[in-house]
Amino acid sequence: MSRQLHAPPDSTAPAGSTGPPAALRFATRLFAGLFAGFLLGVVVLESSLRSADAVTYAQVRSVELDRLDLLASLTLLPALCLGAALAVTAYRTGRTWVPNAIAVALLAVVALISVTVNLPINAQQTNWTGHGIPADWSAVRDRWQAAHALRTAAALIAFGILLLPAGLRPRAH
């Protein structure tokens, strides 16, 4: 016997409600897709820098760090919030909510990796052009790129989950 996660019926939901509004699904998918695409673009850029020398790498990172953290925040934070709203709305209307919750959890993992690994390295790398490049610059680069690859994979999986057809059929009670 399998145990299923069910939301309690929502007595406040209008009769014939079809679950989360299409606009909420669209906005969640839009921000999650923009974020995942942005991360994928950075993977491509960073992979092209693998053979670059320290000075070239530091110069390109300086340009990357100028505004890309802002773009990441402007896409990840709405994706997280809208995804959570999507999952809660689906739960409250008695619809399938678990895939949305999994996507939000993956985006939360992305945020955690960003805060614990990538952002501290970003802060360190902003000083490379003015204070000199450290001797272990390639090890720092490799650590950043490994964490970035992991968060890119998580973001792409989350986006893929969000693209799955919305569970329009109510669960059996």
Side-chain angles (χ1 to χ4, degrees):
M1 183 163 125
S2 68
R3 183 175 176 184
Q4 297 180 6
L5 297 173
H6 295 294
D10 184 357
S11 60
T12 63
S17 173
T18 60
L24 180 57
R25 279 193 306 275
F26 175 79
T28 303
R29 290 170 175 170
L30 174 68
F31 281 103
L34 286 170
F35 180 70
F38 155 71
L39 291 182
L40 191 58
V42 173
V43 164
V44 171
L45 176 61
E46 286 285 327
S47 70
S48 70
L49 291 172
R50 293 293 299 170
S51 61
D53 61 62
V55 173
T56 302
Y57 181 77
Q59 287 173 339
V60 173
R61 283 297 289 157
S62 176
V63 172
E64 280 183 56
L65 295 171
D66 185 39
R67 296 240 169 36
L68 290 185
D69 285 349
L70 176 62
L71 178 60
S73 297
L74 292 175
T75 53
L76 176 59
L77 296 177
L80 268 168
C81 294
L82 292 167
L86 185 64
V88 168
T89 303
Y91 178 82
R92 286 185 176 168
T93 57
R95 308 293 177 190
T96 303
W97 60 273
V98 174
N100 296 326
I102 292 170
V104 170
L106 285 168
L107 291 174
V109 166
V110 169
L112 181 64
I113 293 168
S114 298
V115 168
T116 60
V117 180
N118 295 92
L119 290 176
I121 292 174
N122 288 356
Q124 179 185 3
Q125 289 177 335
T126 59
N127 294 321
W128 284 7
T129 54
H131 301 318
I133 301 166
D136 68 340
W137 74 271
S138 62
V140 174
R141 175 204 61 201
D142 292 350
R143 185 168 180 239
W144 189 95
Q145 288 179 344
H148 183 73
L150 185 60
R151 68 184 180 163
T152 301
L156 288 169
I157 293 167
F159 179 54
I161 290 169
L162 291 168
L163 289 178
L164 295 173
L168 296 178
R169 285 178 275 136
R171 293 182 304 264
H173 294 280

